[in-house]
Amino acid sequence: MPSIKGTASITSTSALQKQLRSTTFPSNFSQKCNIAKVHRAVLTHWIENRVEQILGFEDDIVSSTAVHLFLPENAADGADIGENLDYWDVDPRKVQLDLAGFLGEKEAALFAAELWSMMLDASSSPSGIPKVLVEKKKEEMRRQREEQQRKVMASASSGVRQSR
């Protein structure tokens, strides 16, 4: 039976357990995250952008795989919270190993560590959005405001020169 590197090797539970024992994971992977408290749309957007940065091109399959592994939802009724799924039970170690076949081991480890830290932060935030992303958005908005002010000042000063 042909195998695909990174996927077929982990389908057996004994192979998965061996991989889990032999791989070193960040210490925060032992912390549980309440997925129901995170803002899905914001993190989905971040995941899609980050996967594109890592791969160097847009790949909907890898992006959606990462989203569904880190942010599972109840597919039966499409609800955000369902009785059939334990939202505290996403194992970032298994997700990292699953994504290694797509992103590479080093990139999957960095991606999983970065995302899990943000998810832990988001689950304790009232808005469900990680502080890092909130600060990034504030900085982006500040830069846009400054750029608009520069344009207004430049057009105003050129208007004054023309009237003289």
Side-chain angles (χ1 to χ4, degrees):
M1 177 169 93
S3 67
I4 299 172
K5 182 181 181 211
T7 56
S9 62
I10 315 180
T11 56
S12 123
T13 54
S14 62
L16 176 61
Q17 294 305 318
K18 183 178 179 183
Q19 281 282 92
L20 289 171
R21 283 191 304 271
S22 65
T23 306
T24 304
F25 298 101
S27 59
N28 70 346
F29 277 16
S30 63
Q31 296 176 326
K32 295 286 186 182
C33 178
N34 187 346
I35 306 302
K37 290 186 175 184
V38 303
H39 196 288
R40 279 187 70 82
V42 170
L43 286 176
T44 297
H45 182 70
W46 183 88
I47 291 170
E48 291 168 349
N49 288 336
R50 188 69 179 107
V51 167
E52 186 176 338
Q53 286 176 349
I54 292 169
L55 295 176
F57 57 90
E58 188 176 336
D59 190 326
D60 292 337
I61 295 171
V62 177
S63 295
S64 65
T65 300
V67 167
H68 292 300
L69 289 171
F70 273 108
L71 302 171
E73 62 181 304
N74 189 351
D77 59 5
D80 285 336
I81 302 174
E83 293 96 32
N84 299 337
L85 187 62
D86 183 1
Y87 279 85
W88 293 84
D89 201 23
V90 171
D91 188 348
R93 301 171 312 144
K94 290 179 182 175
V95 175
Q96 176 183 320
L97 294 176
D98 287 343
L99 291 175
F102 298 108
L103 303 176
E105 289 183 23
K106 181 180 177 185
E107 290 82 6
L110 293 172
F111 172 77
E114 185 177 12
L115 180 55
W116 193 250
S117 294
M118 286 197 299
M119 288 176 65
L120 291 172
D121 182 33
S123 68
S124 64
S125 166
S127 66
I129 302 172
K131 290 177 188 139
V132 172
L133 296 182
V134 170
E135 293 303 318
K136 185 177 178 182
K137 187 64 176 179
K138 284 181 183 178
E139 179 63 24
E140 180 183 316
M141 291 170 63
R142 185 188 61 76
R143 276 189 261 124
Q144 287 176 345
R145 249 192 335 269
E146 289 174 356
E147 184 63 31
Q148 287 175 345
Q149 287 174 348
R150 277 191 224 116
K151 287 180 182 178
V152 168
M153 296 297 281
S155 66
S157 66
S158 67
V160 170
R161 288 183 196 146
Q162 290 177 357
S163 64
R164 287 184 183 181

